[in-house]
Amino acid sequence: YSLISLVGMLSVPLNLLVSPAWTKFLQRKPWHKAILVSQLLTIAAYALNPVVTAERTWFYMVCIGLGTLASPGTSLAHSHLTYAYMPEENRTAFVSFNAVLGQIFAFLGTNVGVLFIQFSENMSVNVLGLQMGSKQMINWISAALMLMLCVYTQIFVRKKLPE
């Protein structure tokens, strides 16, 4: 628990240090580039998280570091994303709908994750020589889903924004 506390405390100043860099990145690059970079960092954290073992506790610091580096970029880019393709007329209604829809999908995602862990609680799978339980598998499933979302976002952006 000491390592978890220490890494948690160090992630706060790291987050404060990288926030201005993400702001500058967003001023120079479009929102979809920031989402891509931040999501790839987040995907790396999720993909590496199942590899954390008692022998490889340093992977935990890498995972938290990657997530902390990605967090401000994800937050800033998603705050711009809300308005990217929104019409000026009835903007308040669209923002409200977007917020409600986001909460509904967060609720559904959480419940699907809980159900997955409950149904696969005693299941164990050997992946690349590592014994994976349900909590490790859900990290890789989340990483795969985020990667698919990144690909979809890039395809969507290329169709909407010709370069």
Side-chain angles (χ1 to χ4, degrees):
Y1 291 111
S2 299
L3 177 66
I4 293 171
S5 298
L6 177 66
V7 172
M9 287 186 328
L10 292 175
S11 67
V12 173
L14 179 60
N15 197 316
L16 292 172
L17 286 171
V18 297
S19 291
W22 277 108
T23 302
K24 287 179 185 174
F25 185 85
L26 264 168
Q27 289 170 347
R28 284 187 253 128
K29 302 282 184 187
W31 62 267
H32 56 89
K33 299 278 187 201
I35 286 179
L36 179 64
V37 172
S38 65
Q39 285 303 108
L40 289 175
L41 287 169
T42 304
I43 290 167
Y46 272 77
L48 288 174
N49 203 24
V51 183
V52 175
T53 62
E55 298 83 32
R56 290 187 291 259
T57 54
W58 63 273
F59 261 81
Y60 176 72
M61 293 181 283
V62 172
C63 295
I64 297 298
L66 288 170
T68 302
L69 287 173
S71 179
T74 303
S75 296
L76 290 168
H78 279 277
S79 68
H80 293 294
L81 177 63
T82 303
Y83 303 100
Y85 299 104
M86 191 179 298
E88 290 292 326
E89 189 176 325
N90 295 327
R91 185 166 271 202
T92 304
F94 284 110
V95 170
S96 300
F97 178 75
N98 185 40
V100 168
L101 205 59
Q103 294 299 315
I104 289 170
F105 278 106
F107 175 76
L108 290 174
T110 301
N111 285 315
V112 168
V114 167
L115 288 173
F116 176 81
I117 288 175
Q118 285 175 344
F119 287 121
S120 63
E121 188 172 12
N122 297 323
M123 193 168 81
S124 181
V125 178
N126 190 334
V127 179
L128 302 172
L130 298 168
Q131 210 59 28
M132 300 283 172
S134 59
K135 291 175 182 77
Q136 288 84 10
M137 286 187 288
I138 204 161
N139 273 277
W140 279 8
I141 292 168
S142 297
L145 290 172
M146 283 189 277
L147 186 60
M148 288 190 300
L149 186 60
C150 280
V151 170
Y152 171 77
T153 301
Q154 295 309 304
I155 291 169
F156 174 79
V157 165
R158 288 177 200 258
K159 286 182 180 179
K160 286 285 189 185
L161 301 173
E163 294 190 29

